[in-house]
Amino acid sequence: MPTILGANSDTGAFEISNSLRLDDGDNQRLYFDPSSDDSTRTKYTFSTWLKLGNLATSQHRYFFGAGDHALIGFRTGSGEEDDLYVQTTAGGVNAIQTHAKFRDSSAWYHIYVKLDTTQSTASDRLQLYVNGVQVTDFSVDQRSNITQDSSESDVGSSGERHNIGYSANGSGSLYDGYIAETHLLVGTVKNHTDFGETNDNGVWVPKKAIFAASDYGTNGFKLEYKQTGTSADASGMGADTSGNGNHFTTQNLNAQNITTDTPNNNFATLDPTSNFHCGATYAEGNTRFISDESKYGFNCSTVGVSSGKWYAEFKMISRDGESGNWYMVGIASGEQTGHRLVLGRDTGRSTSTRNGGIGYVGYGTNFIYQNDAYYDGDSNAYSTAAYTDGDIIGVALNADDNQVTLYKNGTVQNSGTAFVLGTSETGFWHFGCGHFDTGNTFTIDANFGQPSFSGTDQSDANGYGSFEYAPPSGYYALCTKNLAEYG
């Protein structure tokens, strides 16, 4: 069976097919400039699905912004890290901010915001729901300042740029992560149950939302992120499918930013909360690992498995040029304690408690960590090639038989002979990467099926995933639909 850290995913009747992956370090966003005002701005409905990338950073992470002051996103700063924040310009600049922290980067969240200043009760004028549950506990609550029948001065207004993945409020307030199925209806209030529902397992899942173009108002939109073009038209990744044709302009985006990681089929990523020695940083929707030269670094996948056959790829992006930079990829039990990387070896712990994983070391030739023993070209040599910048390492995990097969640029290593795993400390195997050498740095990209490194789109036998090389026969991408069948 699999272990998934809090992931909210479902294989229900309505399928969200695509998402947009945004990286704050690359200054990525979508934007639309209204040319006229909506006639009614006392109401709006906003709905979207999110999967977080970077957690608390030096900047706020707003996934929606209109003008300078209307916005929705996550805060940073003293005591505010990862709080969800909604700010409106109705009746002045007023906001609500949650006590709750949003830090599960393996989960898909549904965020629903309703503004309706026609309501007689102040607390009803601005409401927030997360995964179908109304949030009522706020550290900041300025709803009493929203005067009845007041209008938004930013949302739906001419000349006020509407952004996805960014707000002009603050310095560099860019969102980092995945976003899917985004609606803004200006002048219309729809219920949260129009966008999602609770399934038989008690999980809040997407529901097909079909509205008339008039429900979206003049400047509202529906973004499904199905296209891969970069133009502001129906073929662009910011295509508006509401019927209004309010197509968004792309900034620093390309086809690789469109993925099939969605609330209906949640793919594994690296897990920033599982950051051994807390040295690494993460980018590209938690698929890029950037080491800290002053510390050892290790990370594993958000999904662990105890059965089935699974495939992932790792691409070496850059090193600092040191030949002795000991970087590795492979399989671990998910344990992050001890003296060294827990990919097969941990010299700081007793033999009885060491992880029995496999680590393929890039430096030198015939280097492998396996089941707590170090093999370096002597009597236990393995035919594994060194790898460096630009090389792609495939890792095929057979959790049924506790075996791992390794590939370099599509070529099987060790003459096709699998490496035998030891005993997992946690009962689950995770894909992982990292390094154990201070004074050196490296960057490596992980691909658990979304997206491929160059758009080659090699999927598994079920049609899921997008890899550089075709997965071995019988091996699958690490996503919830495959897990439901083979995990």
Coordinates of all heavy atoms in Angstrom, one line a residue, residues 154-227:
D154 N -11.0 47.5 -7.5 CA -9.9 46.8 -8.3 C -10.5 45.6 -9.1 O -10.3 45.6 -10.3 CB -8.8 46.3 -7.4 CG -7.9 47.5 -6.9 OD1 -8.1 48.6 -7.4 OD2 -7.0 47.2 -6.1
V155 N -11.1 44.7 -8.5 CA -11.7 43.5 -9.2 C -12.8 44.0 -10.2 O -13.7 44.6 -9.8 CB -12.2 42.5 -8.2 CG1 -12.9 41.3 -9.0 CG2 -11.1 41.9 -7.3
G156 N -12.6 43.6 -11.4 CA -13.5 44.0 -12.5 C -13.5 45.4 -13.0 O -14.3 45.8 -13.7
S157 N -12.4 46.1 -12.6 CA -12.3 47.5 -13.0 C -11.3 47.7 -14.1 O -10.3 47.1 -14.2 CB -11.8 48.3 -11.8 OG -12.7 48.3 -10.7
S158 N -11.7 48.7 -15.0 CA -10.9 49.0 -16.1 C -9.5 49.6 -15.7 O -9.5 50.4 -14.7 CB -11.6 50.1 -17.0 OG -10.8 50.6 -18.0
G159 N -8.5 49.2 -16.4 CA -7.2 49.7 -16.0 C -6.5 49.0 -14.9 O -5.3 49.3 -14.6
E160 N -7.2 48.1 -14.2 CA -6.6 47.4 -13.1 C -6.2 46.0 -13.5 O -7.1 45.1 -13.7 CB -7.6 47.3 -11.9 CG -8.1 48.7 -11.4 CD -6.9 49.5 -10.8 OE1 -5.9 48.9 -10.5 OE2 -7.1 50.7 -10.6
R161 N -4.9 45.7 -13.7 CA -4.4 44.5 -14.2 C -4.8 43.3 -13.3 O -4.7 43.4 -12.0 CB -2.9 44.5 -14.3 CG -2.3 43.2 -14.8 CD -0.9 43.4 -15.3 NE -0.9 44.0 -16.6 CZ 0.3 44.3 -17.3 NH1 1.4 43.9 -16.8 NH2 0.2 44.9 -18.4
H162 N -5.3 42.2 -13.9 CA -5.7 41.0 -13.1 C -4.6 40.0 -13.3 O -4.3 39.6 -14.5 CB -7.1 40.5 -13.6 CG -8.2 41.3 -13.2 ND1 -8.2 42.7 -13.2 CD2 -9.5 41.0 -12.7 CE1 -9.4 43.2 -12.7 NE2 -10.2 42.2 -12.4
N163 N -4.1 39.5 -12.3 CA -2.9 38.5 -12.3 C -3.3 37.2 -11.8 O -4.0 37.1 -10.8 CB -1.8 39.1 -11.5 CG -1.1 40.3 -12.1 OD1 -0.3 40.2 -13.0 ND2 -1.5 41.5 -11.6
I164 N -2.7 36.1 -12.4 CA -2.7 34.8 -11.8 C -1.3 34.5 -11.5 O -0.4 34.5 -12.3 CB -3.3 33.8 -12.8 CG1 -4.8 34.0 -13.0 CG2 -3.1 32.3 -12.2 CD1 -5.7 33.9 -11.8
G165 N -1.0 34.2 -10.2 CA 0.3 33.9 -9.7 C 1.1 35.1 -9.3 O 2.3 35.0 -9.1
Y166 N 0.4 36.2 -9.1 CA 1.1 37.5 -8.7 C 0.2 38.5 -8.2 O -1.0 38.5 -8.6 CB 1.9 38.0 -9.9 CG 2.6 39.3 -9.8 CD1 3.8 39.4 -9.1 CD2 2.0 40.5 -10.2 CE1 4.4 40.6 -9.0 CE2 2.6 41.7 -10.1 CZ 3.8 41.8 -9.4 OH 4.5 43.0 -9.3
S167 N 0.7 39.4 -7.3 CA 0.0 40.6 -7.0 C 1.0 41.8 -6.9 O 2.1 41.6 -6.5 CB -0.7 40.5 -5.6 OG -1.2 41.8 -5.2
A168 N 0.5 42.9 -7.4 CA 1.4 44.1 -7.4 C 1.6 44.6 -6.0 O 2.4 45.5 -5.8 CB 0.8 45.2 -8.3
N169 N 0.8 44.2 -5.0 CA 0.9 44.6 -3.7 C 2.1 44.0 -3.0 O 2.3 42.8 -3.0 CB -0.4 44.2 -2.9 CG -0.4 44.8 -1.5 OD1 0.1 44.2 -0.6 ND2 -1.0 46.0 -1.3
G170 N 3.0 44.9 -2.5 CA 4.2 44.4 -1.9 C 5.3 44.2 -3.0 O 5.1 44.5 -4.2
S171 N 6.4 43.8 -2.6 CA 7.6 43.6 -3.5 C 7.7 42.2 -3.9 O 8.1 41.3 -3.1 CB 8.9 44.1 -2.8 OG 10.0 43.9 -3.7
G172 N 7.5 41.9 -5.2 CA 7.8 40.6 -5.7 C 6.9 39.5 -5.1 O 7.4 38.5 -4.7
S173 N 5.6 39.8 -5.0 CA 4.6 38.8 -4.4 C 4.2 37.8 -5.4 O 3.0 37.8 -5.9 CB 3.5 39.6 -3.8 OG 3.9 40.5 -2.8
L174 N 5.0 36.8 -5.7 CA 4.8 35.8 -6.7 C 4.4 34.5 -6.0 O 5.0 34.1 -5.0 CB 6.0 35.6 -7.6 CG 6.4 36.7 -8.5 CD1 7.9 36.8 -8.8 CD2 5.6 36.6 -9.9
Y175 N 3.4 33.8 -6.6 CA 3.0 32.5 -6.2 C 4.0 31.4 -6.7 O 4.6 31.6 -7.8 CB 1.6 32.2 -6.6 CG 1.2 30.8 -6.4 CD1 0.9 30.3 -5.1 CD2 1.0 29.9 -7.4 CE1 0.5 29.0 -4.8 CE2 0.6 28.6 -7.2 CZ 0.3 28.1 -5.9 OH -0.1 26.9 -5.7
D176 N 4.2 30.4 -5.9 CA 5.0 29.2 -6.4 C 4.3 27.9 -6.1 O 3.9 27.6 -5.0 CB 6.4 29.2 -5.5 CG 7.4 28.3 -6.1 OD1 7.3 27.1 -5.8 OD2 8.3 28.7 -6.8
G177 N 4.0 27.2 -7.2 CA 3.3 25.9 -7.1 C 2.4 25.7 -8.3 O 2.6 26.2 -9.4
Y178 N 1.4 24.9 -8.1 CA 0.5 24.5 -9.2 C -0.9 25.1 -8.9 O -1.3 25.3 -7.8 CB 0.3 22.9 -9.2 CG 1.6 22.2 -9.3 CD1 2.5 22.0 -8.2 CD2 2.0 21.6 -10.5 CE1 3.7 21.3 -8.3 CE2 3.2 20.9 -10.6 CZ 4.0 20.7 -9.5 OH 5.2 20.0 -9.6
I179 N -1.5 25.4 -10.0 CA -2.9 26.0 -10.0 C -3.7 25.4 -11.1 O -3.2 25.1 -12.2 CB -2.8 27.5 -10.1 CG1 -4.2 28.2 -9.8 CG2 -2.2 28.0 -11.4 CD1 -4.1 29.7 -9.6
A180 N -5.0 25.1 -10.8 CA -5.9 24.4 -11.7 C -7.3 25.0 -11.6 O -7.7 25.4 -10.5 CB -5.9 22.9 -11.5
E181 N -8.0 24.9 -12.7 CA -9.5 25.2 -12.8 C -9.8 26.5 -12.0 O -10.4 26.5 -10.9 CB -10.3 24.0 -12.2 CG -11.7 24.1 -12.4 CD -12.2 23.8 -13.9 OE1 -11.3 23.4 -14.7 OE2 -13.4 24.0 -14.2
T182 N -9.5 27.6 -12.5 CA -9.6 28.9 -11.9 C -10.8 29.7 -12.5 O -10.9 29.9 -13.7 CB -8.3 29.8 -12.0 OG1 -7.2 29.0 -11.6 CG2 -8.4 31.1 -11.3
H183 N -11.7 30.1 -11.6 CA -12.9 30.9 -12.0 C -12.9 32.3 -11.3 O -12.6 32.3 -10.1 CB -14.2 30.2 -11.6 CG -14.4 28.9 -12.3 ND1 -15.3 28.7 -13.3 CD2 -13.9 27.6 -12.0 CE1 -15.3 27.4 -13.7 NE2 -14.5 26.8 -12.9
L184 N -13.2 33.3 -12.0 CA -13.6 34.6 -11.4 C -14.9 35.0 -12.0 O -15.0 35.3 -13.2 CB -12.5 35.7 -11.6 CG -12.9 37.1 -11.1 CD1 -13.1 37.1 -9.6 CD2 -11.9 38.1 -11.5
L185 N -16.0 35.2 -11.2 CA -17.3 35.7 -11.7 C -17.5 37.0 -11.0 O -17.6 37.1 -9.8 CB -18.4 34.7 -11.3 CG -18.3 33.3 -11.9 CD1 -17.6 32.3 -10.9 CD2 -19.6 32.7 -12.3
V186 N -17.6 38.1 -11.8 CA -17.7 39.4 -11.3 C -19.2 39.8 -11.4 O -19.8 39.7 -12.5 CB -16.8 40.4 -12.1 CG1 -17.0 41.8 -11.5 CG2 -15.4 40.0 -12.0
G187 N -19.8 40.2 -10.3 CA -21.2 40.6 -10.3 C -22.1 39.5 -9.9 O -23.3 39.7 -9.9
T188 N -21.5 38.3 -9.7 CA -22.4 37.1 -9.5 C -21.8 36.3 -8.3 O -20.6 36.2 -8.2 CB -22.3 36.2 -10.7 OG1 -22.8 36.9 -11.9 CG2 -23.2 34.9 -10.5
V189 N -22.7 35.8 -7.5 CA -22.3 34.9 -6.4 C -22.7 33.5 -6.7 O -23.9 33.3 -6.9 CB -22.8 35.4 -5.0 CG1 -22.6 34.3 -4.0 CG2 -22.2 36.7 -4.6
K190 N -21.8 32.6 -6.7 CA -22.1 31.2 -6.8 C -21.6 30.5 -5.5 O -20.7 31.0 -4.8 CB -21.4 30.5 -8.0 CG -21.9 31.1 -9.3 CD -23.3 30.7 -9.6 CE -23.7 31.2 -11.0 NZ -25.1 30.9 -11.3
N191 N -22.3 29.4 -5.1 CA -21.9 28.7 -3.9 C -20.7 27.8 -4.1 O -20.3 27.4 -5.2 CB -23.1 27.8 -3.5 CG -24.3 28.5 -3.1 OD1 -24.2 29.6 -2.5 ND2 -25.5 28.0 -3.4
H192 N -20.0 27.6 -3.0 CA -18.8 26.7 -3.0 C -19.2 25.3 -3.5 O -18.3 24.6 -4.1 CB -18.1 26.6 -1.6 CG -19.0 25.9 -0.6 ND1 -20.1 26.5 0.0 CD2 -18.8 24.7 0.0 CE1 -20.6 25.7 0.9 NE2 -19.9 24.6 0.9
T193 N -20.4 24.9 -3.3 CA -20.9 23.6 -3.7 C -21.1 23.5 -5.3 O -21.3 22.5 -5.8 CB -22.2 23.2 -3.0 OG1 -23.1 24.2 -3.1 CG2 -21.9 22.9 -1.6
D194 N -21.0 24.7 -5.9 CA -21.0 24.7 -7.4 C -19.7 24.3 -8.0 O -19.6 23.9 -9.2 CB -21.4 26.1 -7.9 CG -22.8 26.4 -7.6 OD1 -23.7 25.6 -7.8 OD2 -23.1 27.6 -7.2
F195 N -18.7 24.3 -7.2 CA -17.3 24.0 -7.7 C -16.7 22.7 -7.1 O -15.7 22.1 -7.7 CB -16.4 25.1 -7.3 CG -16.8 26.5 -7.8 CD1 -17.6 27.3 -7.0 CD2 -16.5 26.9 -9.1 CE1 -18.0 28.5 -7.5 CE2 -16.9 28.1 -9.6 CZ -17.6 28.9 -8.8
G196 N -17.3 22.2 -6.0 CA -16.8 20.9 -5.4 C -17.9 20.2 -4.7 O -18.9 20.8 -4.4
E197 N -17.6 19.0 -4.3 CA -18.5 18.2 -3.5 C -17.7 17.1 -2.7 O -16.6 16.8 -3.0 CB -19.5 17.5 -4.5 CG -18.8 16.6 -5.5 CD -19.8 16.0 -6.6 OE1 -21.0 16.2 -6.4 OE2 -19.3 15.5 -7.6
T198 N -18.4 16.6 -1.7 CA -17.8 15.6 -0.9 C -18.1 14.2 -1.5 O -19.3 13.9 -1.7 CB -18.3 15.7 0.6 OG1 -18.0 17.0 1.1 CG2 -17.6 14.6 1.4
N199 N -17.1 13.4 -1.7 CA -17.3 12.1 -2.3 C -17.7 11.1 -1.2 O -17.8 11.4 0.0 CB -16.1 11.6 -3.2 CG -14.9 11.3 -2.4 OD1 -14.9 11.3 -1.1 ND2 -13.8 11.1 -3.1
D200 N -17.8 9.8 -1.6 CA -18.2 8.8 -0.7 C -17.2 8.5 0.4 O -17.5 7.9 1.5 CB -18.5 7.5 -1.4 CG -19.8 7.6 -2.3 OD1 -20.6 8.5 -2.1 OD2 -19.9 6.8 -3.2
N201 N -15.9 8.9 0.2 CA -14.9 8.7 1.1 C -14.7 10.0 2.0 O -13.7 10.0 2.8 CB -13.6 8.4 0.4 CG -13.6 7.1 -0.3 OD1 -14.1 6.1 0.2 ND2 -13.1 7.1 -1.5
G202 N -15.6 10.9 1.9 CA -15.5 12.1 2.7 C -14.5 13.1 2.3 O -14.1 14.0 3.0
V203 N -14.0 13.0 1.0 CA -13.0 13.9 0.5 C -13.6 15.0 -0.4 O -14.5 14.6 -1.3 CB -12.0 13.1 -0.3 CG1 -10.9 14.0 -1.0 CG2 -11.3 12.1 0.6
W204 N -13.2 16.2 -0.3 CA -13.7 17.3 -1.1 C -13.0 17.2 -2.5 O -11.8 17.2 -2.6 CB -13.4 18.6 -0.5 CG -14.0 19.8 -1.2 CD1 -13.4 20.7 -2.0 CD2 -15.4 20.2 -1.2 NE1 -14.2 21.6 -2.6 CE2 -15.5 21.3 -2.1 CE3 -16.6 19.7 -0.6 CZ2 -16.7 22.0 -2.3 CZ3 -17.7 20.4 -0.8 CH2 -17.8 21.5 -1.6
V205 N -13.9 17.0 -3.6 CA -13.3 16.8 -4.9 C -13.9 17.8 -5.9 O -15.0 18.4 -5.6 CB -13.6 15.3 -5.4 CG1 -12.9 14.3 -4.4 CG2 -15.1 15.1 -5.4
P206 N -13.3 17.9 -7.1 CA -13.8 18.9 -8.1 C -15.2 18.5 -8.6 O -15.5 17.3 -8.7 CB -12.8 18.8 -9.2 CG -11.5 18.3 -8.6 CD -12.0 17.4 -7.5
K207 N -16.0 19.5 -8.9 CA -17.3 19.3 -9.5 C -17.3 20.2 -10.8 O -16.9 21.3 -10.7 CB -18.4 19.7 -8.5 CG -19.8 19.6 -9.0 CD -20.8 20.0 -7.9 CE -22.2 19.9 -8.3 NZ -23.1 20.4 -7.2
K208 N -17.9 19.7 -11.8 CA -18.0 20.4 -13.1 C -18.8 21.7 -12.9 O -20.0 21.6 -12.5 CB -18.5 19.6 -14.2 CG -18.3 20.2 -15.6 CD -18.6 19.2 -16.7 CE -18.3 19.9 -18.0 NZ -18.4 18.9 -19.2
A209 N -18.2 22.8 -13.1 CA -18.9 24.1 -12.9 C -19.2 24.7 -14.3 O -18.3 25.1 -15.0 CB -18.1 25.0 -12.1
I210 N -20.5 24.7 -14.7 CA -20.9 25.3 -16.0 C -21.8 26.5 -15.8 O -22.8 26.4 -15.2 CB -21.6 24.2 -16.9 CG1 -20.7 23.0 -17.1 CG2 -22.0 24.8 -18.2 CD1 -21.4 21.9 -17.8
F211 N -21.3 27.7 -16.2 CA -22.1 28.9 -16.0 C -22.2 29.6 -17.4 O -21.4 29.4 -18.3 CB -21.4 29.8 -15.0 CG -21.1 29.2 -13.7 CD1 -19.7 29.1 -13.3 CD2 -22.0 28.6 -12.9 CE1 -19.4 28.5 -12.1 CE2 -21.7 28.0 -11.7 CZ -20.4 28.0 -11.3
A212 N -23.2 30.4 -17.5 CA -23.3 31.3 -18.7 C -22.2 32.3 -18.7 O -21.7 32.7 -17.7 CB -24.7 31.9 -18.7
A213 N -21.8 32.8 -19.9 CA -20.8 33.8 -20.0 C -21.2 35.0 -19.2 O -20.4 35.7 -18.7 CB -20.6 34.1 -21.5
S214 N -22.5 35.3 -19.2 CA -23.0 36.5 -18.5 C -22.8 36.4 -17.0 O -22.7 37.4 -16.3 CB -24.5 36.7 -18.8 OG -25.3 35.6 -18.4
D215 N -22.7 35.2 -16.5 CA -22.4 35.0 -15.0 C -21.1 35.5 -14.6 O -20.8 35.9 -13.5 CB -22.6 33.6 -14.6 CG -24.0 33.1 -14.6 OD1 -24.9 33.9 -14.4 OD2 -24.2 31.9 -14.9
Y216 N -20.1 35.5 -15.6 CA -18.8 35.9 -15.3 C -18.6 37.4 -15.4 O -17.5 38.0 -15.0 CB -17.8 35.3 -16.3 CG -17.6 33.8 -16.1 CD1 -18.5 32.9 -16.7 CD2 -16.6 33.3 -15.3 CE1 -18.3 31.5 -16.5 CE2 -16.4 32.0 -15.0 CZ -17.3 31.1 -15.7 OH -17.1 29.7 -15.4
G217 N -19.7 38.1 -15.8 CA -19.5 39.6 -16.0 C -18.7 39.9 -17.1 O -18.3 39.1 -18.0
T218 N -18.3 41.2 -17.2 CA -17.5 41.7 -18.3 C -16.0 41.2 -18.2 O -15.4 40.8 -19.2 CB -17.5 43.2 -18.4 OG1 -18.8 43.6 -18.6 CG2 -16.6 43.7 -19.6
N219 N -15.5 41.2 -17.0 CA -14.0 40.9 -16.8 C -13.7 39.6 -16.1 O -12.6 39.3 -15.8 CB -13.4 42.1 -16.1 CG -13.5 43.4 -16.8 OD1 -13.1 43.4 -18.0 ND2 -14.0 44.4 -16.2
G220 N -14.8 38.8 -15.9 CA -14.5 37.5 -15.3 C -13.9 36.5 -16.3 O -13.8 36.8 -17.5
F221 N -13.5 35.3 -15.8 CA -12.8 34.4 -16.6 C -12.9 33.0 -16.0 O -13.1 32.8 -14.8 CB -11.4 34.8 -16.8 CG -10.6 35.1 -15.6 CD1 -10.1 34.1 -14.8 CD2 -10.5 36.4 -15.1 CE1 -9.4 34.4 -13.6 CE2 -9.8 36.7 -13.9 CZ -9.3 35.7 -13.2
K222 N -12.6 32.0 -16.9 CA -12.4 30.6 -16.5 C -11.1 30.1 -17.2 O -11.0 30.1 -18.4 CB -13.6 29.8 -16.9 CG -13.4 28.3 -16.6 CD -14.7 27.5 -17.1 CE -14.5 26.0 -16.8 NZ -15.7 25.2 -17.3
L223 N -10.2 29.7 -16.4 CA -8.9 29.2 -16.9 C -8.7 27.7 -16.6 O -8.8 27.3 -15.4 CB -7.7 30.0 -16.3 CG -7.8 31.5 -16.4 CD1 -6.6 32.2 -15.8 CD2 -7.9 32.0 -17.9
E224 N -8.6 26.9 -17.7 CA -8.4 25.5 -17.5 C -7.0 25.0 -17.8 O -6.7 23.8 -17.5 CB -9.4 24.8 -18.4 CG -10.9 25.1 -18.1 CD -11.8 24.4 -19.1 OE1 -12.2 23.2 -18.8 OE2 -12.2 24.9 -20.1
Y225 N -6.2 25.9 -18.3 CA -4.7 25.6 -18.5 C -4.5 24.3 -19.4 O -3.6 23.5 -19.1 CB -4.0 25.4 -17.2 CG -4.4 26.5 -16.2 CD1 -5.1 26.2 -15.0 CD2 -3.9 27.8 -16.4 CE1 -5.4 27.2 -14.1 CE2 -4.2 28.8 -15.5 CZ -5.0 28.5 -14.3 OH -5.3 29.5 -13.4
K226 N -5.4 24.2 -20.4 CA -5.3 23.0 -21.3 C -4.3 23.2 -22.5 O -3.9 22.3 -23.1 CB -6.7 22.7 -21.8 CG -7.6 22.1 -20.7 CD -8.9 21.7 -21.4 CE -9.8 21.0 -20.4 NZ -11.1 20.6 -21.0
Q227 N -4.1 24.5 -22.9 CA -3.3 24.7 -24.0 C -1.8 25.0 -23.6 O -1.5 25.3 -22.5 CB -3.9 25.9 -24.8 CG -5.3 25.9 -25.1 CD -5.7 24.7 -26.0 OE1 -4.9 24.3 -26.8 NE2 -6.9 24.1 -25.8

